[in-house]
């Protein structure tokens, strides 16, 4: 019972969950990031019974996520997690870059309490809005005894920060966990866990006030790929490149030659795959290292963090 009485910190950053449209039938022509955190909470009557603290950390469409918001968010999450009366943190966020923020926070903080990302595919004005149920589920998970790590709670499904990815541009059930499979389900306020909570060691990197986020770009291998883009990036001072290769990280020969040239010139180059699921497995003769099971956007964040630590 004691756990159930504990506080959840709800940190808002914007997104469609806080979006509004002129008509209830309009699911795409809305403006994201319009409603404040209190309005989101007040739309869920069941939350009136739960001790919450709320904070508006940012108010943006997550397609525009940037390093300053990440720094502020990481600091506020750490601040709330450190309070003994806080059971967990919920972050309302846009769906577009949710997987990036989730991965970043997990790697930075590796929290021993739950940090639950929450979003919506329909604006708050929609006939069939998904935000309120997702928020209620996220708060439920944030108060779940024993839960830990950064997760996302969407459409009754819980994904680990290590696996979550947006897999659909429109469907309400828009997220997947790839090969790993979902972490848990939330049904009628009950969390049904299917595998272990996300765990790890915090990186111990201090982001506050950092102006030196390394420049890392993602390039894609495809038919007719040209070397020019990679050469231009290297000449412009890029520090790292993640290439989304075909299949098992294979690369068009023209692109691969340019990437190997960039690597020789001091750019860190990692190979991932443009396939939705699956790792890049190294084999004899490979000239560029694999990003393992990381998706291209996760690999980009991992590479930025590693370059910051170097
Ligand atoms: N563009 C919106 C965002 O990421 C999409 C969403 O939240 O579903 O903020």
């Amino acid at each position: 019972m004691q756990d159930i009485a504990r506080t959840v910190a709800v940190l808002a950053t914007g997104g469609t969950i806080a979006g509004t449209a002129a008509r209830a039938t309009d699911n795409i022509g809305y403006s994201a990031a319009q409603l404040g955190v209190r309005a989101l909470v007040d739309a869920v009557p069941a939350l009136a019974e739960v001790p919450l603290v709320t904070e508006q950390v940012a108010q943006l469409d997550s397609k525009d996520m940037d390093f300053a918001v990440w720094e502020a968010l990481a600091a506020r999450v750490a601040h709330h997690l450190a309070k003994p009366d806080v059971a967990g943190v919920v972050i309302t966020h846009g769906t577009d870059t949710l997987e990036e923020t989730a991965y970043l926070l997990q790697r930075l903080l590796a929290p021993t309490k739950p940090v639950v990302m929450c979003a919506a595919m329909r604006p708050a004005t929609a006939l069939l809005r998904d935000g309120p149920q997702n928020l209620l589920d996220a708060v439920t998970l944030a108060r779940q005894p024993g839960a830990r790590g950064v997760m996302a709670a969407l459409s009754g499904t819980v994904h680990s920060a290590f696996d979550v990815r947006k897999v659909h541009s429109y469907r309400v059930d828009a997220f997947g966990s790839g090969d790993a499979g979902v972490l848990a389900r939330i049904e009628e306020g009950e969390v049904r866990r299917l595998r272990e909570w996300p765990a790890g060691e915090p990186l111990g990197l201090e982001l506050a006030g950092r102006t030196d986020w390394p420049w890392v770009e993602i390039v894609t291998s495809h038919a007719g790929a040209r070397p020019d883009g990679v050469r231009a990036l290297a000449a412009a001072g890029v520090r790292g490149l993640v290439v989304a290769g075909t299949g098992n990280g294979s690369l068009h020969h023209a692109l691969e030659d340019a990437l190997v040239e960039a690597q020789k010139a001091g750019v860190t180059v990692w190979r991932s795959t443009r396939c939705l699921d699956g790792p890049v497995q190294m084999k004899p003769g490979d000239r560029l290292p694999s990003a393992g099971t990381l998706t291209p956007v996760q690999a980009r964040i991992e590479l930025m963090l590693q370059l910051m630590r170097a």
Side-chain angles (χ1 to χ4, degrees), residues 14-17 30 32 60-63 93-97 120-121 166:
T16 297
I17 192 168
Y30 60 88
L60 84 169
D61 185 319
S62 81
K63 73 178 177 57
H93 198 287
T95 60
D96 288 343
T97 56
M121 287 295 286
K166 188 172 179 179

Side-chain angles (χ1 to χ4, degrees), residues 11 13 57-58 60 62-78 91 93-94 96-105 108-109 117 205-210 213-214 216 297-298 300-302 304-305 308:
L11 310 187
T13 67
V57 175
L60 84 169
S62 81
K63 73 178 177 57
D64 297 322
M65 185 53 68
D66 60 29
F67 300 145
V69 174
W70 273 352
E71 286 170 26
L73 185 60
R76 296 313 292 164
V77 170
I91 300 169
H93 198 287
D96 288 343
T97 56
L98 178 146
E99 67 208 69
E100 296 180 46
T101 302
Y103 185 78
L104 176 84
L105 292 175
L108 281 177
L109 305 173
M117 311 286 303
L205 250 186
E206 181 51 67
L207 288 189
R210 273 196 103 112
W213 283 76
V216 177
V297 293
Q298 287 178 333
R300 174 176 171 267
I301 292 168
E302 187 64 39
M304 285 193 294
L305 293 173
M308 274 195 268

Side-chain angles (χ1 to χ4, degrees), residues 149-170:
V150 182
M151 296 168 273
L154 302 136
S155 294
T157 307
V158 180
H159 306 273
S160 158
F162 290 119
D163 306 304
V164 65
R165 63 207 61 191
K166 188 172 179 179
V167 294
H168 204 278
S169 59
Y170 182 74

Side-chain angles (χ1 to χ4, degrees), residues 219-223 225 243-246 250-253 255 274:
V219 296
T220 305
S221 188
H222 47 74
V243 57
T246 40
S250 54
L251 300 173
H252 187 288
H253 65 87
L255 188 69
R274 64 181 217 189

